[in-house]
């Protein structure tokens, strides 16, 4: 059973920082492309960042470039999202997702089949 659990969300003032974590179980972490997604109130879910098993990074959202950094620790089965210079527009539920790469593909293309429950990030102005 694959389980993804996000943590690290909370309330922060604009310009502040947060680090989100996603711990995975029930999977071989190194065999998955991992991504962060978010959904703001009244808006559709959007991709934020993606990282492959070899550390290749894809930016889904231009708005986070220069502010957000995705990383992973395969030994700890953990995905991270470092968020700096947060803006009120970043307020959303942030989700961790996993895409199984059966053939060892090192890319951020494909369907994310597994999802965490989300963690709330609220940025005040």
């Amino acid at each position: 059973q694959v389980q993804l659990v996000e943590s690290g969300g909370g309330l922060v003032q604009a310009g502040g920082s947060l680090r989100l974590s996603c711990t995975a179980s029930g999977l071989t972490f190194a065999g998955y492309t991992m991504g962060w997604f978010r959904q703001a109130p009244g808006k559709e879910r959007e991709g934020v960042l993606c990282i492959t098993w070899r550390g290749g990074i894809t930016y889904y959202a231009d708005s986070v470039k220069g502010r957000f950094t995705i990383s992973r620790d395969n030994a700890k089965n953990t995905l991270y999202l470092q968020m700096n210079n947060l803006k009120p527009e970043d307020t959303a539920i942030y989700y961790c997702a996993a895409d199984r790469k059966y053939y060892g593909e090192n890319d951020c293309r494909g369907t994310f089949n597994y999802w965490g429950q989300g963690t709330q990030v609220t940025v005040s102005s």
Side-chain angles (χ1 to χ4, degrees):
Q1 182 178 359
V2 175
Q3 185 176 15
L4 305 175
V5 180
E6 302 95 335
S7 62
L11 175 64
V12 64
Q13 293 183 346
S17 299
L18 285 173
R19 187 181 71 168
L20 306 184
S21 298
C22 170
T23 57
S25 62
L27 52 77
T28 303
F29 192 70
Y32 287 77
T33 287
M34 303 295 297
W36 285 102
F37 296 77
R38 65 185 182 184
Q39 186 167 21
K43 296 184 178 181
E44 296 182 349
R45 180 180 293 174
E46 67 171 346
V48 181
L49 278 161
C50 174
I51 185 168
T52 71
W53 66 274
R54 290 178 61 184
I57 295 171
T58 295
Y59 284 89
Y60 293 133
D62 290 339
S63 62
V64 308
K65 287 185 176 179
R67 300 189 299 119
F68 289 12
T69 302
I70 190 171
S71 61
R72 65 191 294 166
D73 187 336
N74 290 341
K76 296 182 178 180
N77 282 11
T78 302
L79 176 74
Y80 302 99
L81 182 65
Q82 179 66 47
M83 305 184 294
N84 298 325
N85 192 24
L86 283 160
K87 303 176 180 180
E89 310 93 270
D90 297 317
T91 295
I93 300 175
Y94 284 72
Y95 297 90
C96 170
D99 173 21
R100 179 72 167 92
K101 297 299 186 182
Y102 293 99
Y103 307 107
E105 308 98 309
N106 187 51
D107 60 57
C108 284
R109 303 186 298 273
T111 302
F112 287 87
N113 303 113
Y114 305 102
W115 295 81
Q117 82 290 340
T119 185
Q120 178 69 49
V121 172
T122 303
V123 184
S124 64
S125 59

